[in-house]
Amino acid sequence: MKKLPPRLIPVLLLAAILLGIALATRFALLIRPEALAATALSDLPRVFGFGLLFDLGAAAYFCLPLALYLAFLPNRVSRSRLHGWLFLVAFLALIYALLVVAAAEWVFWDEFAARFNFIAVDYLVYTHEVLGNIWESYPVGQWLLLLVIPALGLWVPLRRILLSALAAPASPSTRFALSIGWLATAGLAFLALNTAQKTAGASDTVAELSGNGIYEFFAANYNNDLSYSRFYASLPDAEAMRIARSLVAGPNPQWVRAGGVDMHREVFNDNPDKLLNVVLVSVESLGAEFLGVFGNPDGLTPNLDALAAESLSFTQVYATGNRTVRGMEALALSLPPTPGQSIVKRPNNQGLFTLGSIFEDRGYDSAFLYGGYGYFDNLNNFFSNNDYRVVDRSAIAKADIHYENIWGVADEDLFTLALREMDRSKQAGGQRPFFMHILTTSNHRPYTYPEGRIDIPSGTGRGGAVKYSDKAIGDFIRAARTRPWFKDTLFILTADHGASARGTTRIPLLKYRVPVLFYSPAHIPPGRFDRLMSQVDIAPTLLGLLEMGYSSKFFGHDVFRTPPEQDRALVGNYQTLGYMKDGRLVTLEPRQKVTVEALPAELGLPAAKGIPAAQLRDEAISLYQSASMVYNSGQQRDEERNAKAPVRPVRAAHPAHSPALPAGAVHPPR
């Protein structure tokens, strides 16, 4: 048997260490209670078999720089004492880095029940916030110190072997073979492995356990911008647009163009606009399960529960995604969640047709207010380039901040800022109405807030953060009631997304359910609307209640002008796209995978009434395919704004206008 070239030994040792740590990480994640409960004995060969394949792929990538370095390292440098000690320190750093990655995987799993995915890639852009959040949420300093012990334990026995390998001369042919051989190994891993291989026929938990964090990270980075037409089931473009148009048109649609890749239509209303002030509050991670009116027994939301009794309450609304940017996308653009990055974070996303552009065209002062620094998640750039003025953490003086953490100021300070902006808007604009979209931050790990505000100590968990956010909202509404503009203001209280939106299903629907309250005592009577809705329906329903006629490119429904048989909800995560309708969930996944299954009974939605599964499948495909087509073709842009032309209010001096809202429609019986 031919002797192993010494120059290859450090590379193989590093690969072996990576494989060992990866195996230990997989086992540690497997024995977590939630993972163990979702993994059968028969799943273990898959978990560890596929796991080994992806661990080998990760080793091929991770060790490639070391292999190339040693391949091009001259013998005289390799043998020097100084280089030997520098190499040992670098090798120790690599071992330590692998252990830190393993610990990071544990933390990431704790938050997302997944290996590293595109969220991890995404968050690297915002290192300050993310690392600050982790530092405040976990004993990071202690962990980093403790990880030195196993790193040294692995490194100390290898020192002599490594120095001996470096001291041995390597011929040019040997070094050339090392570089070509390891490049070929990495190339083979790239061609042979695909993350879809471990997901076929497996539950979410089993698929995630079968992965490797390092491999998943690079795969997510590579696949960050997902092409719908390439990865998802599709229909002929013309057919997809025809079906999608029929689903979003509404009553008596008046299309601006007869066909093509376009959703531009006119929405008519024969009543004068109700030019109310509008305050849209998106509460961080406020899933419906936290509210008493949705059955929570812990008394976390006394203020929201009281407001629900005075509001028009929508009880079956589902968020489009599980991240803040998805909520902002749905509320501002009324678009289905296209796969990959949210549009909020994509390049060339300026000048789009948004809720803010409609209000600005009506003469409103449109603004986006955020308690953090708006460069995070590209929020400032998106909103400021789409007809909103932006006011973020930087507008608050240090003396006016009662508390802040890495994500931003406490909600009470954000609401104080909001009240100030509303007062200023009225002072500057007189009768000009305002539209303020407020995004809170306090209901976010590390769940910290000013001490003494509620009976749950700061930093002890999600429940306290929910209760604090609820108190801040209650104080905000009470303060707003003292303003002269209050009686002509509509408050919409909802969430950007649910909390801990993860589970054994591809899209855990119970965690996607969010509250929506329309509160305006002088203008909207209290009531309940129990039909199925999506987050994308909030904007058109709001405009309908304001009796506005307008040009629309929205995919959402005005739910009071939509018959029950058209009720549906659009939900998704970064890759899986969901369509809820007629008691079933259609899911679209990469590699053209489509499934149709019954909705969980716990949602309390009506049972299926017999729409053929093939029809539901085509509807789901059409909506997501057309959304991608419309955005990618540039047809979601606000043409009037970009042309700097005035927009004429659409009035119902048109024979095919929509009927007036039926009496009692805003408070249907339970």
Side-chain angles (χ1 to χ4, degrees):
M1 184 175 176
K2 212 168 185 181
K3 187 178 178 183
L4 193 69
R7 194 64 68 94
L8 182 60
I9 290 174
V11 183
L12 294 179
L13 286 174
L14 183 62
I17 291 169
L18 185 152
L19 293 174
I21 293 173
L23 178 62
T25 302
R26 182 169 296 106
F27 185 76
L29 294 175
L30 173 63
I31 62 175
R32 289 177 65 112
E34 72 277 10
L36 202 57
T39 308
L41 191 62
S42 58
D43 293 322
L44 296 183
R46 181 189 188 97
V47 167
F48 289 99
F50 274 106
L52 178 59
L53 287 176
F54 285 98
D55 292 347
L56 289 169
Y61 294 140
F62 188 81
C63 298
L64 179 60
L66 178 63
L68 294 177
Y69 172 76
L70 291 174
F72 290 99
L73 183 68
N75 287 326
R76 60 182 181 80
V77 176
S78 177
R79 292 194 298 264
S80 74
R81 182 182 295 272
L82 176 61
H83 175 267
W85 281 106
L86 290 174
F87 186 85
L88 287 179
V89 171
F91 200 86
L92 174 61
L94 289 172
I95 296 173
Y96 183 73
L98 288 172
L99 291 168
V100 170
V101 168
E105 280 210 77
W106 179 272
V107 171
F108 194 81
W109 186 285
D110 192 48
E111 188 73 17
F112 298 105
R115 298 290 190 141
F116 293 143
N117 51 37
F118 104 103
I119 297 173
V121 177
D122 210 22
Y123 273 177
L124 277 188
V125 179
Y126 306 104
T127 307
H128 173 69
E129 281 84 357
V130 174
L131 291 184
N133 178 43
I134 293 171
W135 191 273
E136 292 175 353
S137 302
Y138 299 93
V140 176
Q142 297 175 32
W143 287 4
L144 292 176
L145 286 174
L146 287 172
L147 288 174
V148 173
I149 298 172
L152 289 172
L154 291 168
W155 176 76
V156 169
L158 300 178
R159 290 175 303 160
R160 292 183 183 278
I161 299 173
L162 292 170
L163 289 174
S164 176
L166 291 173
S171 66
S173 60
T174 298
R175 288 187 281 146
F176 177 76
L178 174 59
S179 63
I180 295 300
W182 210 269
L183 280 170
T185 302
L188 179 63
F190 180 80
L191 294 173
L193 291 178
N194 187 299
T195 54
Q197 294 166 338
K198 63 184 177 58
T199 63
S203 69
D204 287 350
T205 300
V206 170
E208 295 296 342
L209 289 171
S210 303
N212 175 283
I214 295 173
Y215 182 91
E216 298 293 329
F217 181 86
F218 286 104
N221 188 52
Y222 180 77
N223 296 314
N224 206 16
D225 187 13
L226 294 175
S227 165
Y228 184 91
S229 60
R230 178 179 176 186
F231 292 104
Y232 291 84
S234 59
L235 296 170
D237 288 350
E239 183 180 359
M241 286 302 305
R242 178 186 63 79
I243 296 173
R245 278 188 163 206
S246 71
L247 293 171
V248 306
N252 303 314
Q254 301 296 315
W255 295 100
V256 173
R257 284 177 279 275
V261 181
D262 183 24
M263 285 293 173
H264 196 180
R265 61 199 184 278
E266 305 291 359
V267 177
F268 291 95
N269 199 301
D270 55 0
N271 296 315
D273 290 357
K274 294 180 180 178
L275 297 179
L276 303 180
N277 306 303
V278 177
V279 179
L280 171 58
V281 180
S282 302
V283 183
E284 172 68 39
S285 304
L286 186 67
E289 73 267 22
F290 296 113
L291 274 69
V293 292
F294 285 89
N296 187 292
D298 299 329
L300 300 176
T301 58
N303 292 284
L304 285 168
D305 294 339
L307 282 170
E310 303 175 48
S311 302
L312 172 58
S313 178
F314 299 83
T315 64
Q316 285 287 357
V317 185
Y318 291 82
T320 58
N322 54 10
R323 295 197 60 211
T324 295
V325 285
R326 283 300 187 191
M328 300 301 98
E329 175 186 87
L331 293 168
L333 300 173
S334 188
L335 273 177
T338 52
Q341 282 279 24
S342 164
I343 289 170
V344 172
K345 303 194 67 177
R346 294 186 192 178
N348 303 315
N349 62 3
Q350 68 277 2
L352 301 178
F353 181 84
T354 64
L355 182 59
S357 67
I358 293 174
F359 279 122
E360 186 177 73
D361 290 341
R362 285 295 190 281
Y364 277 68
D365 171 22
S366 295
F368 172 73
L369 287 76
Y370 179 48
Y373 290 106
Y375 71 84
F376 182 74
D377 268 344
N378 202 45
L379 293 170
N380 278 4
N381 182 68
F382 172 78
F383 282 103
S384 64
N385 284 295
N386 286 291
D387 290 306
Y388 297 76
R389 65 181 179 88
V390 174
V391 184
D392 71 356
R393 158 72 182 79
S394 59
I396 308 175
K398 192 72 175 176
D400 295 331
I401 297 174
H402 291 88
Y403 184 84
E404 63 181 322
N405 60 25
I406 197 63
W407 292 109
V409 299
D411 286 356
E412 62 189 74
D413 296 326
L414 171 62
F415 287 130
T416 298
L417 170 67
L419 289 166
R420 186 185 76 191
E421 288 297 316
M422 295 167 197
D423 291 339
R424 285 181 176 176
S425 180
K426 283 301 180 184
Q427 291 165 5
Q431 297 302 310
R432 184 187 186 195
F434 57 72
F435 166 54
M436 304 278 176
H437 185 169
I438 304 169
L439 174 61
T440 73
T441 62
S442 290
N443 187 25
H444 196 299
R445 193 184 295 275
Y447 313 129
T448 53
Y449 41 84
E451 292 286 359
R453 299 299 195 267
I454 59 172
D455 57 359
I456 301 175
S458 172
T460 56
R462 172 82 72 180
V466 170
K467 192 165 188 176
Y468 169 72
S469 291
D470 173 80
K471 182 186 185 305
I473 291 169
D475 292 344
F476 168 57
I477 296 296
R478 283 186 285 274
R481 288 183 182 130
T482 67
R483 277 16 187 216
W485 43 258
F486 171 79
K487 70 179 180 64
D488 289 324
T489 301
L490 168 57
F491 296 84
I492 303 171
L493 303 168
T494 186
D496 56 350
H497 57 82
S500 303
R502 63 190 193 186
T504 57
T505 60
R506 293 289 174 190
I507 301 174
L509 298 175
L510 283 169
K511 297 293 186 179
Y512 274 61
R513 192 179 178 191
V514 295
V516 177
L517 307 178
F518 278 44
Y519 174 68
S520 184
H523 298 278
I524 297 181
R528 284 172 57 111
F529 188 87
D530 296 324
R531 286 163 45 190
L532 177 64
M533 287 176 58
S534 178
Q535 213 172 19
V536 300
D537 299 324
I538 293 175
T541 300
L542 162 65
L543 296 172
L545 288 173
L546 295 177
E547 303 287 0
M548 284 190 181
Y550 58 100
S551 293
S552 178
K553 295 188 176 183
F554 289 157
F555 277 66
H557 291 160
D558 175 352
V559 295
F560 293 119
R561 292 171 172 82
T562 305
E565 59 268 20
Q566 293 186 21
D567 293 349
R568 85 287 168 268
L570 300 155
V571 294
N573 56 35
Y574 66 101
Q575 285 189 353
T576 303
L577 310 173
Y579 180 66
M580 301 168 64
K581 187 173 182 179
D582 192 45
R584 283 164 287 176
L585 171 68
V586 183
T587 53
L588 310 177
E589 299 178 68
R591 301 178 70 86
Q592 293 78 46
K593 182 179 178 182
V594 183
T595 59
V596 182
E597 58 190 330
L599 290 173
E602 301 94 308
L603 298 180
L605 290 166
K609 295 179 180 176
I611 297 177
Q615 178 182 330
L616 292 177
R617 173 189 180 276
D618 287 353
E619 289 182 4
I621 291 170
S622 296
L623 284 170
Y624 285 109
Q625 182 178 340
S626 62
S628 294
M629 291 166 59
V630 165
Y631 179 77
N632 291 333
S633 67
Q635 292 302 312
Q636 200 60 23
R637 296 196 175 278
D638 184 354
E639 290 130 341
E640 292 89 350
R641 173 187 185 274
N642 295 329
K644 297 184 178 178
V647 178
R648 292 186 300 274
V650 179
R651 282 284 152 247
H654 191 288
H657 65 267
S658 300
L661 189 64
V666 296
H667 46 93
R670 296 183 182 223

